Amino acid sequence: MSYTLPEFLAHAIALEQEAADRYLELADMMEAQQNNAVAAVFRDMVRYSEMHRDEIRARVGATELPKLKSWQYRWRTPPEVGGEEGFDYLMEPYHALRYARGNELRAMEYYRDVGAASSDAEVKRLGAEFAEEETGHVAALDEWLARTPRPSATWDADPDPLP
């Protein structure tokens, strides 16, 4: 399925906005559980997603983008918005970084696949460029993960189990 340039840019902006919204929600959730270290990771991810969204908006210039309804997006779930499975108030920074890495990896694959499938030269170029940017985000998260202590305990040992 091939995108026009305006469709592609509208999807890219929505992808980054959804990621920022989701990371903000997760940061708030972690703060409510007084897990400030993980909240800080997610707040950083909010800033990165917003910066990428704003860079894409700047590229749009005078191009009129379609106003897509939620059902018109060509994905089942926005690529940078992972599910809630595996989320727990005991999450540690390492887990948050792994979650963010998975999101960035899906975004990279999405951009790469859209660019590769497109018949529009500019969508091909931007898809490859955005995929490369996401590859850089994955690499940065890999470096961050390498410096972050891996938790020794699992979440199975919940000191405050639900009744």
Side-chain angles (χ1 to χ4, degrees):
M1 149 176 12
S2 191
Y3 291 71
T4 66
L5 180 59
E7 286 173 327
F8 175 68
L9 292 169
H11 277 75
I13 290 168
L15 184 154
E16 297 300 336
Q17 184 61 55
E18 285 290 327
D21 291 347
R22 179 66 172 151
Y23 287 136
L24 181 59
E25 176 186 352
L26 294 169
D28 290 345
M29 184 173 71
M30 290 294 111
E31 278 182 1
Q33 298 296 330
Q34 298 180 3
N35 190 337
N36 296 326
V38 173
V41 170
F42 285 131
R43 293 217 185 276
D44 284 342
M45 296 307 298
V46 169
R47 282 191 297 281
Y48 297 139
S49 295
E50 289 173 340
M51 284 177 11
H52 196 205
R53 178 207 59 208
D54 293 345
E55 289 169 2
I56 295 167
R57 281 184 179 158
R59 290 171 186 242
V60 168
T63 304
E64 182 151 345
L65 301 183
K67 307 257 190 275
L68 300 173
K69 306 286 186 205
S70 61
W71 63 87
Q72 293 174 311
Y73 287 99
R74 298 185 194 176
W75 53 55
R76 200 171 316 138
T77 303
E80 281 200 64
V81 181
E84 290 191 22
E85 68 285 346
F87 263 91
D88 189 285
Y89 74 99
L90 295 175
M91 173 183 262
E92 294 192 32
Y94 181 85
H95 303 115
L97 291 167
R98 293 224 14 190
Y99 174 85
R101 185 188 187 282
N103 290 345
E104 298 297 322
L105 189 59
R106 279 189 301 282
M108 182 222 34
E109 291 166 352
Y110 170 77
Y111 286 132
R112 182 196 62 214
D113 293 347
V114 168
S118 182
S119 57
D120 182 299
E122 186 64 3
V123 172
K124 277 188 174 304
R125 186 185 74 73
L126 287 174
E129 182 180 321
F130 291 177
E132 188 61 32
E133 288 177 20
E134 297 297 337
T135 300
H137 299 164
V138 171
L141 285 163
D142 284 343
E143 290 174 14
W144 204 353
L145 275 162
R147 295 188 310 266
T148 302
R150 187 178 191 126
S152 59
T154 67
W155 295 332
D156 296 336
D158 188 344
D160 186 25
L162 295 173

